[in-house]
Amino acid sequence: MAPRVLGGLGVGALCVAVVTRIHNARTYPADWGFDARYNWEYIVALSRAWRLPPPDAGWSSGDPPLYFAAAALLVRAAPNWLVLVPLLNVLLGLAVAGLAVALVRRIAPDDGPRAALAGGLVLFLPAHLHMSAMVNEELLSATFTALALWIIATPDPPTDLRRALVRSALCGLAAGLALLSKLTGVLAIACIALAITAEAARRRTLRGPALQLGVALVAAFAAGGWFYARNQILYGYIQPFGLPAHELMFSMPPGTRSLLDYVVVPLSTFTNPQLLDPDLLRSVWGSTYASLWFDAHRSFLPTDSEPVRRLGTAVLLLALLPTAAFLTGFARGVRRALRGNPVDVPLVGLVLLTLAGFAIYTWQNPWFAVIKGTTLLGLCLPYAAYASDSLVDWIRRGRIQAVSICTALTLLAIGVTASGTFDGLFERTEVSGLSWERVEPR
């Protein structure tokens, strides 16, 4: 009876997650969300003239083109494209959750509950839910990053050279498409190289792994690296920075960063989770946590609302459970990776490289608007794998723990759904986002 009940709850949670995403895709204003208005300009321009614009033509025109080209094809093909383009993100988000389930089934083939929990952890991650409604390339990049990781992270890497080369080519292709979606796709390529190098060290051979690495890199360049080589040849840089179109960002607070910003996590992370709070404004990891688990940019929710703040406090406190589970599972994964475990090497590598890259990026771009939990969606597979490992372990230690954890996760899912359903529990009447012009950082 228990498996049937759990199965029914899992199906019900999946239905809620899917219906919420479809509702948001149909009702969330098409030009709201992170850079959406500028992204539409890029998409419409591609749909009218099928050629890449110069990087300085607009806010988004310097970004890699894969997402914008796919959306432009939908614009050309379908009269109802205003709905279809957000629905593309819904499908991409479900694909990421499906890959998380598939990875856990590969790691623990006899543990169905853990696999289902892994999918739920992704589907009820607020940053994932928000990006399923916005016209933005984050989920496309996350999908291909997850696919590359799913291919390379296997308990039994193929020993036959031909099969290994095919796997390397597929990994490189997926990572290259992630790179053609967003520059962060380079981290997927780095993790492939790390995994192949670890295999070489474990097997004490170089010839096969060297061929695999070469095939993976060639495939990645063919799929996505060409765009950055083109930029370098035509414009003299790989990725544009400081273009006139982006000058507005340079006046955003706080404007500077110190090492203390990477250490302090203020109480307002939980009590007033919106990124312009004077204390939260300078906290990089506090802002990241708040925007990962709540609408800290106020893209969905009203800006000044006491009920919203109370809901945010509840969600962010409950989210400490899966966060702690992830950190615990990650620590175990690090130990296994140091022993050369072929699953954990790329998973751990992606986490460390992503967080390091995020820290460097926020240091070089000291403005509140660049701190988005959605930037970390490439970590969906490591998060799902490690958090589900710890949670299932804790649940199975006894009835009290099981009831407490399941209750907390259920309340978290309810809170995430309530805060992430556009014009549901709360009506957003003002324009999306936070008004930052008169904010003075402390």
Side-chain angles (χ1 to χ4, degrees), residues 33-38 59 244-257 261 275-277 281-282 297 361-372 432-442:
F34 305 138
D35 301 335
R37 179 162 60 90
Y38 308 108
W59 184 283
H246 302 150
E247 286 182 354
L248 175 67
M249 186 178 291
F250 303 156
S251 58
M252 290 182 178
T256 59
R257 288 281 178 215
D261 295 350
L275 296 194
L276 293 182
D277 176 89
L281 180 61
R282 285 205 164 275
H297 283 272
Y361 177 69
T362 55
W363 179 270
Q364 294 177 335
N365 298 270
W367 309 296
F368 86 98
V370 307
I371 299 184
K372 305 183 185 79
S432 172
L434 295 167
S435 179
W436 53 269
E437 287 81 357
R438 291 182 298 274
V439 172
E440 293 292 338
R442 289 183 180 179

Side-chain angles (χ1 to χ4, degrees), residues 200-375:
R202 189 173 61 254
R203 295 176 180 174
R204 298 183 179 180
T205 181
L206 287 177
R207 180 177 175 274
L211 287 173
Q212 293 175 52
L213 182 57
V215 167
L217 292 178
V218 168
F221 181 84
W226 63 266
F227 172 75
Y228 299 90
R230 170 187 175 273
N231 277 357
Q232 182 64 47
I233 293 169
L234 294 180
Y235 307 109
Y237 47 73
I238 291 176
Q239 179 76 3
F241 177 80
L243 296 177
H246 302 150
E247 286 182 354
L248 175 67
M249 186 178 291
F250 303 156
S251 58
M252 290 182 178
T256 59
R257 288 281 178 215
S258 69
L259 292 178
L260 200 62
D261 295 350
Y262 294 84
V263 177
V264 174
V265 177
L267 185 61
S268 57
T269 301
F270 301 93
T271 58
N272 186 29
Q274 60 95 0
L275 296 194
L276 293 182
D277 176 89
D279 293 322
L280 189 55
L281 180 61
R282 285 205 164 275
S283 173
V284 171
W285 300 119
S287 294
T288 303
Y289 181 79
S291 61
L292 185 66
W293 283 105
F294 195 64
D295 183 18
H297 283 272
R298 294 300 190 268
S299 299
F300 279 64
L301 297 172
T303 302
D304 296 313
S305 169
E306 184 61 30
V308 167
R309 282 193 289 272
R310 288 198 295 266
L311 178 60
T313 298
V315 168
L316 290 163
L317 288 174
L318 289 167
L320 289 172
L321 174 61
T323 303
F326 165 70
L327 293 174
T328 302
F330 177 69
R332 296 172 184 168
V334 169
R335 291 194 291 269
R336 293 191 296 265
L338 291 174
R339 296 194 294 267
N341 184 284
V343 172
D344 291 289
V345 167
L347 293 179
V348 168
L350 184 62
V351 173
L352 295 177
L353 289 173
T354 299
L355 294 181
F358 184 76
I360 294 170
Y361 177 69
T362 55
W363 179 270
Q364 294 177 335
N365 298 270
W367 309 296
F368 86 98
V370 307
I371 299 184
K372 305 183 185 79
T374 55
T375 307

Side-chain angles (χ1 to χ4, degrees), residues 14 47 58 82 101 104 107 153 177 191 236-237 275 285 289 314 344 359 363 418 429:
L14 175 63
S47 71
L82 276 176
V101 172
V104 172
I107 298 170
L177 291 173
C191 288
Y237 47 73
L275 296 194
W285 300 119
Y289 181 79
D344 291 289
W363 179 270
T429 54

